[in-house]
Amino acid sequence: MKLCMIGTGYVGLVSGVCFSDLGNDVICVDKDNNKINNLKNGKIPIYEPGLEELVKKNIKNNRLNFSTNLKESVRKSDIIFICVGTPTKKNSNSADLSQVYSVGKEISKSINKFKIIITKSTVPVTTGDDLEKIISKKVNKRLFSVVSNPEFLREGEAIRDFIYPDRVVVGSNEEKSKKILRNLYSPLISKGAKYVSTNRRAAELIKYASNAFLATKITFINEIANLCEKTGIDVEDISIGIGLDNRIGSRFLRAGPAYGGSCFPKDTKAIVSTADKFKSNLSVIKSVIKSNQNRSDLLLKRLHSIIKKFNNKKVSFLGVTFKANTDDMRDSSSLKIIPYLSKRGAKIKYYDPTGSKKEFNNVKNVEYANSIQNCISGSDVIIIHTEWNDFKSINFRKLSKNKKLIIYDMRNIFSPTKIEKLGIKYFGIGR
Ligand code: UGA
C-alpha cells in the first residue's frame, strides 16, 4: 500500500520505517528541510536502538522516501497518517491540537481520490469528528474517511513494540476503511497481534485510558514503596507477589523516581481536561498526577536523610534521561534533582550513555564525565537514576577508593546485600 506519514518525530518516523519494512511504499513528510535531508542520507534525529539500520535498509530497497512536499506526497498516497505533536497547551492542561488541524487543512487541498486519513498522534476524544468537519469544508465526504489508530510504542523499545504489539487498535465509523486497515495490519495479525476494531471515539479514548492506567499502576507501586521504606519490606517482593496475579500483571510495577517522558505527564493531564469538558470527574487520575508531582519532593527529602550535608559532597549521577534506552530528557526527574543538589553546594558529575545534556550547561557545579569510571571515581555518593544495562555490572569497590561510599539506587538494579558486602552503604527505593 502507499502510505504517507506527516511528521517525522518519534511516532511518524518509527511507524513509517516499520510500515516500509513490512513491504509498503512509505513517504515520510516534514517541514524541516534539514531533518529530511539528513534522513535521506540515513541519519536519524532521535536515539532509538535498531532504527538507523532499518532506515538505511528500506531506503536501499526503495520503499522508504522522505519529502518536504506535503501536497505531492498526499496525492501519491492511499493512507495518510497524521503524526504531529500534541503538546500540552500553555497555561492549560489540555492538548494543543493546532498542528493536527493545520495538517488536516493542508491535506484537504490535495485530495484527488479516496484517502484514509488517520490520527496516529495522541488526540482527545472527538478530535476525529472535528478533523472530519475541517476536511469536508473542501472535500466531498465520499472521498475520505477519518480514522483513529493510536500508537503504543515505548521509547527505546519502539521497533519491537511495532512488530510484536500486544494489540492494534483501529477506530473507524466506516466499513470500507475498516477493511483496508485490517489488511494493512495483516502481517502483524498473522504473527499473533490482537486486532481491536472500534468506533473512532473509542479508539481515541483507548489510547488515553491506557497511558493513564499505566501511570496509575506506576504511581500505585511508588506509594506502596513509600510504605515499604517505613516498614522494612522490600517493594520488589511486593511487585512479584502481586504481579503474579494474572488480574494484576507484573509489568509496570517497578518502583522508581517520578514517572516522566513525553507521554504520561502530558496525557494524564489531557484526559482529565477532556473529562472536565464533559463534566466527568476522573478523580483517580487527578490524584495520580498529584502523587507523581509530589514524588520528586519526597525523593529529595530522602536524599537529605541519606546525604545529610550536601556542601562540597562529590555526587556522581548515573543516567539523566527519563528512562533507559532513550536520549529524551522531557519531564525527567533529574531536571529537579541535579539543580537541587547544585543549589545546596554539592559537586556533581554526571554520565549518560547518550552523552551530555544542554539542560545542565548553566547549572553551577555540574560537570559531564565521558565514562562511568570518570564519573564515579573519587565520589562520596553515587545516584543511579536510570536502569541502563551499562550500569548493572559496575564494580564499585574497584572504581571508588572512598571507604564511606554511599549508593542511592533509584531503580533497584542492585542487590542490597551484595553491595553492603563490599562495605558500601546502600539505599534503594522501597527497600
Ligand atoms: C509510554 C507508553 O508505555 C507507550 O505504550 C505509549 O505509546 C507512549 O507512552 C506514548 O504515549 O507515546 P514511554 O513514555 O516511551 O511510553 O515510556 P514508558 O516505558 O512507558 O515509561 C514512562 C515512565 O514510566 C518512565 O519515566 C519510566 O521510568 C516509568 N516507569 C515505567 C516506571 O517508573 N516503572 C515501570 O514499571 C515502568
Side-chain angles (χ1 to χ4, degrees), residues 10-11 48 122 150-157 161 167 207 210-211 214-215 217-219 221-222 250-267 292 321-324 326 328 330-333 385-387 410-411:
Y10 200 80
V11 174
E48 182 61 37
T122 301
E151 54 85 21
F152 302 101
L153 312 174
R154 284 164 301 164
E155 291 189 18
E157 316 275 345
D161 283 350
R167 79 305 203 186
K207 166 68 192 202
S210 299
N211 274 2
L214 291 170
K217 211 173 168 186
I218 297 165
T219 305
I221 200 67
N222 282 341
S250 59
R251 296 171 74 192
F252 277 66
L253 278 183
R254 280 178 284 113
Y259 64 72
S262 63
C263 305
F264 289 173
K266 160 177 88 76
D267 295 346
N292 194 59
T321 54
F322 80 96
K323 64 169 190 177
T326 179
D328 200 335
R330 282 175 285 180
D331 264 310
S332 171
S333 47
H385 176 260
T386 49
E387 67 282 26
M410 292 188 171
R411 299 288 180 166

Side-chain angles (χ1 to χ4, degrees), residues 222-325:
N222 282 341
E223 289 200 350
I224 295 291
N226 298 340
L227 176 61
C228 287
E229 278 170 23
K230 301 234 162 94
T231 47
I233 296 168
D234 189 336
V235 71
E236 298 297 313
D237 289 338
I238 307 301
S239 296
I240 294 168
I242 65 173
L244 284 171
D245 183 329
N246 280 333
R247 293 169 301 175
I248 297 173
S250 59
R251 296 171 74 192
F252 277 66
L253 278 183
R254 280 178 284 113
Y259 64 72
S262 63
C263 305
F264 289 173
K266 160 177 88 76
D267 295 346
T268 43
K269 281 191 242 163
I271 191 176
V272 163
S273 159
T274 303
D276 285 347
K277 229 171 74 188
F278 286 94
K279 302 212 171 355
S280 177
N281 182 14
L282 296 182
S283 64
V284 173
I285 305 175
K286 281 180 186 165
S287 61
V288 165
I289 295 170
K290 209 164 183 194
S291 171
N292 194 59
Q293 283 163 350
N294 291 341
R295 181 144 190 86
S296 299
D297 295 335
L298 210 126
L299 291 199
L300 291 175
K301 258 194 207 150
R302 176 127 158 102
L303 259 174
H304 263 289
S305 71
I306 294 172
I307 302 185
K308 304 212 165 64
K309 280 192 188 123
F310 291 98
N311 205 21
N312 286 325
K313 274 271 155 61
K314 289 183 198 132
V315 178
S316 308
F317 208 91
L318 292 176
V320 290
T321 54
F322 80 96
K323 64 169 190 177
N325 298 318

Side-chain angles (χ1 to χ4, degrees), residues 86-99 266 269-270 273:
T86 54
T88 306
K89 258 189 205 161
K90 267 201 184 123
N91 305 323
S92 142
N93 283 335
S94 59
D96 177 352
L97 299 171
S98 55
Q99 293 185 67
K266 160 177 88 76
K269 281 191 242 163
S273 159

Side-chain angles (χ1 to χ4, degrees), residues 21-179:
D21 205 53
L22 292 178
N24 299 288
D25 288 328
V26 179
I27 315 175
C28 294
V29 179
D30 205 289
K31 286 196 277 199
D32 185 335
N33 236 320
N34 204 16
K35 205 174 180 188
I36 289 298
N37 281 335
N38 281 336
L39 281 165
K40 281 181 179 167
N41 293 316
K43 275 192 215 142
I44 61 166
I46 50 171
Y47 177 94
E48 182 61 37
L51 187 60
E52 192 169 327
E53 292 83 340
L54 225 50
V55 168
K56 286 185 175 149
K57 176 183 155 199
N58 287 290
I59 290 177
K60 211 169 152 202
N61 289 343
N62 221 4
R63 285 197 298 250
L64 181 62
N65 288 290
F66 297 96
S67 171
T68 49
N69 190 334
L70 186 142
K71 274 189 186 160
E72 189 189 63
S73 307
V74 168
R75 277 201 198 106
K76 284 183 187 165
S77 308
D78 305 313
I79 305 179
I80 295 117
F81 287 89
I82 300 179
C83 309
V84 293
T86 54
T88 306
K89 258 189 205 161
K90 267 201 184 123
N91 305 323
S92 142
N93 283 335
S94 59
D96 177 352
L97 299 171
S98 55
Q99 293 185 67
V100 173
Y101 294 144
S102 101
V103 164
K105 269 187 202 149
E106 283 302 301
I107 294 173
S108 71
K109 293 177 194 159
S110 316
I111 295 183
N112 50 344
K113 59 176 175 97
F114 181 75
K115 312 269 177 201
I116 297 180
I117 297 148
I118 300 182
T119 50
K120 219 176 208 341
S121 309
T122 301
V123 293
V125 180
T126 68
T127 302
D129 303 4
D130 294 338
L131 200 57
E132 193 174 278
K133 277 185 208 139
I134 289 172
I135 299 171
S136 56
K137 279 189 185 152
K138 282 239 178 277
V139 185
N140 189 309
K141 241 326 307 2
R142 273 174 301 145
L143 275 185
F144 74 98
S145 170
V146 174
V147 171
S148 164
N149 171 217
E151 54 85 21
F152 302 101
L153 312 174
R154 284 164 301 164
E155 291 189 18
E157 316 275 345
I159 293 173
R160 197 177 21 171
D161 283 350
F162 187 95
I163 302 171
Y164 302 107
D166 289 342
R167 79 305 203 186
V168 171
V169 175
V170 171
S172 169
N173 300 344
E174 282 127 357
E175 282 313 310
K176 184 175 175 181
S177 46
K178 275 187 187 170
K179 270 193 198 139

